[in-house]
Amino acid sequence: MKQLMILLAALALFPMGNASAHDGMDMGGMSTSADANKGVGVVEAVDREKGTVTLSHEPIASLGWPAMTMDFAVGDKKLFSKLATGKKVEFQFVKQHNSYVVTGVK
Ligand SMILES: [Cu+2]
């Protein structure tokens, strides 16, 4: 019984599963689409042909995102020189149309 209570409490605290973590993030967020968001993450994969990078990022408070692995578009191809697989990076990104575009990498 005690374990069930803990499980129910956990469900109440985290009502959104990982799959829907991005749903509704545009509603009432603290930042507008023009603001750059900052994140820290590990480069999981790079696809120069598609112009995308897969980042396993830490929680991003400005968007209310939990930690997750997701694809970002890369705005400036020069940024690929800083995106080596396995590397931990600080990055900036903006929302453009329906995708997230990395605009800076440290
Ligand atoms: Cu994400």
Side-chain angles (χ1 to χ4, degrees):
M1 190 59 193
K2 197 174 175 187
Q3 279 171 339
L4 180 64
M5 293 301 287
I6 291 168
L7 178 64
L8 289 174
L11 287 172
L13 283 171
F14 302 103
M16 292 194 305
N18 237 349
S20 62
H22 278 160
D23 291 352
M25 66 192 158
D26 288 326
M27 298 187 300
M30 285 186 296
S31 65
T32 68
S33 58
D35 293 330
N37 300 284
K38 289 190 180 124
V40 176
V42 174
V43 179
E44 299 289 347
V46 174
D47 190 328
R48 283 177 182 251
E49 280 185 24
K50 277 202 295 184
T52 60
V53 59
T54 307
L55 289 167
S56 168
H57 67 73
E58 294 175 2
I60 293 169
S62 59
L63 292 170
W65 287 3
M68 76 186 81
T69 301
M70 62 185 281
D71 289 348
F72 291 85
V74 176
D76 183 345
K77 302 285 181 240
K78 278 184 248 168
L79 293 173
F80 278 114
S81 65
K82 297 173 179 170
L83 293 167
T85 305
K87 191 175 164 192
K88 188 171 189 179
V89 293
E90 285 175 52
F91 61 101
Q92 292 185 322
F93 65 99
V94 295
K95 184 172 188 197
Q96 268 178 21
H97 306 290
N98 282 322
S99 67
Y100 293 88
V101 181
V102 174
T103 55
V105 179
K106 272 206 270 196

